[in-house]
Amino acid sequence: MVTDGRPGTDAAAILEVEGLTLTLGRGAGAPRILDDVSFTVRAGEARGFVGESGSGKSMTLRAVMGILPPTVHVESGRILFRGEEIVARAPDGSPSTVSARLQQLRGTGISMIFQEPSVALNPVTTVGEQIVDAVRRRDGMSRRTARRRALELMDLVGIRNPGERLGSYPFELSGGMRQRVMIAAAVAGNPQLILCDEPTTALDVTVQAQILALFRHVRDELDAALLYVTHDLGVVAELCDSLTVLYSGKVMESRQDLRAAIDQPFHPYTRALLQSTPDIDHLEQRLRTIPGSAPTPQNRPAGCPFADRCDRVQDDCRQGPVPDVGVGSEVVVHCLHPFGRGSAANGVIDPSPAEVLR
Amino acid sequence: MSESTALTPTVRTRLTLPSGVARSNTALVVGLLILGIIVALAIAAPALSRWDPIEPDPLHALLPPSGTHLFGTDNLGRDIFSRVLHGARSDLTLASVAVLAPFAIGLAVGITCGYAGGWFDVIVMRVADIVTAFPFFILVISLVFVLGGGVWTIFIAITAVSWVAYARIVRAETMVVRNTEFVSACQVGGITTPRILLRHIAPNVLTQAVVYAMSDIVMNVGVIVTLSYFGLGIVPPTPDWGAMMADGQQFLAAGYYGLTLFPAAAVVLTSLALSLVGEGLAHVLRIER
């Protein structure tokens, strides 16, 4: 449960995902790709959405955009954009069709940037046309105006000689340039929310840094909120204000204050993730890893999905359902034995009391 | 969700453009050369032959090839060279024009079916199966009885049948392209479905259809010649290779081979040229992945 107000009541909320459960196929035994996932993105906020491969991060974005694969169904839950429901389960349990409202919002209210710029651009159309397409989507402007706007956008995302580049095909551009083109197209409609699906993963590290700087620039320029999916906590630390950690389709920890989360993670999984991020100042230390791998949706255990890999695991972790624990209204932790609750293990974490919410 | 950490994009899509084709693509060069000569001869037919292809001249019937009559004359005394050239005009024009309508229909149907899927796709594709299952010449003969012979009948008959092949090819390609990320990107960009189909999917699935169109013209030439041979196609006295062969075969036994041989050679040469062009185009237009 989100603790920061009920869905539709948070005036500043841009995106509210409430109890979203996605299943692979239909029926009672269908494996859950996402299990009761809730989070909120407020205006101007950049939320990092972190998890391992297969944790359901990208599926969450696809659900918001209404582009789930045909085999994935919305079993329950709601997705609200500025308090207005855009995705919901169809009454007969069929996959939710794209509502007319969502179709309207695509590009102008919400837009999305994909992981692989090399396959997310049409290979046989010039990048100029693809940006112009996105520009003209917003209001039926003339070709000439749209072209001028496209040039402005290319300038905004740091493409040099935009006039020349307008006529280039995607294969003529480098990976970083292609991602800039994607970003230009994504921001063309002045969206209030940009969903980013690991947009820097396919880029090399120096280009990655440039693109992250560009995201900060674009965000300041447009005052748009970001939902930034990645498996790289370092990227989140550079770009985001808040953090949601996903593991095996469940929200493990949700924090409004990213700094606090990094300094003092409550969930053992968040802590393990942070410890397995390389630290430039302590290169002599061997990088910690989390042994094992995340359970697939098909064979998720009854209790905590992280139990098998957790070094704080106790008997009750494997038995019943795990409650969501909160610290104030800014934190949600899905754990029976979080750090900072009474016994501060390893003495690393400030033992601020955590309380059971329900 | 793939966690690709490749520093450079792993998938590189590029459209090979016909640069340096001349050295690498013999089929295309030879095919275009032969086809170019045939088309040039067909266009220049009235200037190249001083003999009228239609007007009979019984006094000069069944002459052997000579300086005056390059391929000899037929049983009505008409110049065979002139008739073969003029035959190229009617046969090639019809064969090429008859590719356009099936191409357009097949493209539209294929893209729609491939993108929409579901019951619409199932119904349309079953209709396509029925069309394929129906014997082509039976269909044409019944059409001839309903509409009468002639160019339009051939055109309608070919269109009614050959859109299916285009639809199948384009549908299969569309089903692949539909699931690529750039189509998702278009969708989440709010681009309308008709625009996605026309501007983003169509250019990506055209290649295969264009390559097929080349072999389709070959088949059309065959169909037109065959129909005319049976007297169901181009109406005499308009010169046409099929009718020429049909008229000439009764003189084969008497040793007048030219009446049949020259139009037959024209059919073979044209088909060969078109097939070579098709083969060459397949190499040039292939999108390397």
Side-chain angles (χ1 to χ4, degrees), chain B residues 7-60:
Chain B
L7 295 182
T8 48
T10 47
V11 182
R12 218 178 118 85
T13 310
R14 74 192 181 94
L15 188 67
T16 316
L17 295 170
S19 56
V21 164
R23 261 165 294 127
S24 57
N25 203 328
T26 330
L28 185 67
V29 174
V30 174
L32 280 177
L33 207 68
I34 304 176
L35 192 64
I37 293 171
I38 294 171
V39 171
L41 286 175
I43 291 171
L48 285 174
S49 175
R50 55 201 167 104
W51 305 103
D52 188 285
I54 293 171
E55 201 57 50
D57 182 7
L59 291 178
H60 297 95

Side-chain angles (χ1 to χ4, degrees), chain A residues 20-322:
Chain A
L20 185 66
T21 300
L22 301 180
T23 56
L24 189 61
R26 251 173 263 174
R32 293 182 163 188
I33 293 170
L34 283 189
D35 192 355
D36 195 21
V37 166
S38 302
F39 62 91
T40 304
V41 183
R42 297 203 181 110
E45 175 184 338
R47 179 170 287 274
F49 208 61
V50 177
E52 289 171 60
S53 302
S55 57
K57 325 182 284 285
S58 293
M59 279 303 159
T60 311
L61 297 196
R62 286 181 176 266
V64 173
M65 271 303 187
I67 51 167
L68 285 172
T71 46
V72 176
H73 299 268
V74 179
E75 197 190 74
S76 59
R78 304 195 299 165
I79 299 175
L80 296 96
F81 181 76
R82 306 184 71 192
E84 190 181 356
E85 193 159 322
I86 53 170
V87 172
R89 193 177 78 111
D92 60 345
S94 62
S96 57
T97 49
V98 176
S99 66
R101 182 66 188 131
L102 179 55
Q103 172 64 28
Q104 268 179 354
L105 285 170
R106 284 171 166 184
T108 56
I110 319 170
S111 64
M112 181 161 169
I113 295 163
F114 291 83
Q115 177 177 350
E116 283 269 2
S118 49
V119 293
L121 289 169
N122 186 343
V124 301
T125 311
T126 62
V127 297
E129 276 183 77
Q130 297 187 53
I131 299 176
V132 166
D133 250 17
V135 170
R136 291 179 59 149
R137 160 80 185 100
R138 182 158 172 80
D139 26 38
M141 59 171 72
S142 72
R143 279 223 146 252
R144 184 189 297 265
T145 327
R147 206 185 117 92
R148 199 163 43 224
R149 175 89 180 110
L151 289 173
E152 284 170 23
L153 286 166
M154 288 167 90
D155 196 47
L156 170 78
V157 298
I159 296 174
R160 267 164 298 206
N161 300 327
E164 279 172 42
R165 284 285 159 233
L166 218 51
S168 300
Y169 287 89
F171 75 86
E172 298 174 306
L173 303 180
S174 65
M177 276 300 149
R178 274 180 250 177
Q179 197 56 287
R180 286 173 198 268
V181 170
M182 282 297 297
I183 295 169
V187 301
N190 274 331
Q192 290 151 298
L193 174 67
I194 304 173
L195 310 178
C196 308
D197 190 2
E198 306 197 37
T200 61
T201 306
L203 305 174
D204 80 49
V205 190
T206 48
V207 180
Q208 192 170 327
Q210 292 167 10
I211 297 291
L212 284 179
L214 174 61
F215 269 117
R216 274 194 295 270
H217 176 59
V218 165
R219 194 187 145 202
D220 293 344
E221 201 84 352
L222 300 175
D223 199 25
L226 294 182
L227 181 57
Y228 198 99
V229 161
T230 178
H231 59 268
D232 187 346
L233 272 170
V235 168
V236 171
E238 275 192 57
L239 189 66
C240 299
D241 316 310
S242 54
L243 174 70
T244 296
V245 178
L246 209 62
Y247 183 83
S248 189
K250 273 196 124 12
V251 173
M252 292 285 117
E253 180 161 1
S254 211
R255 302 283 290 261
Q256 207 53 45
D257 184 350
L258 176 77
R259 278 286 131 218
I262 289 175
D263 294 343
Q264 188 187 3
F266 289 120
H267 199 288
Y269 178 59
T270 314
R271 193 181 142 88
L273 268 187
L274 283 165
Q275 282 173 338
S276 46
T277 306
D279 184 353
I280 194 96
D281 298 326
H282 300 94
L283 284 176
E284 71 284 357
Q285 282 177 7
R286 208 166 157 221
L287 193 60
R288 300 257 314 248
T289 54
I290 311 173
S293 57
T296 59
Q298 282 83 358
N299 42 30
R300 200 174 288 139
C304 173
F306 188 59
D308 284 344
R309 305 169 75 187
C310 185
D311 51 9
R312 288 168 68 86
V313 65
Q314 294 179 28
D315 285 346
D316 52 351
C317 294
R318 302 184 194 277
Q319 282 151 12
V322 179

Side-chain angles (χ1 to χ4, degrees), chain B residues 274-288:
Chain B
L274 286 167
S275 302
L276 286 173
V277 172
E279 163 106 12
L281 269 187
H283 284 291
V284 173
L285 289 176
R286 184 188 300 144
I287 293 176
E288 288 177 10

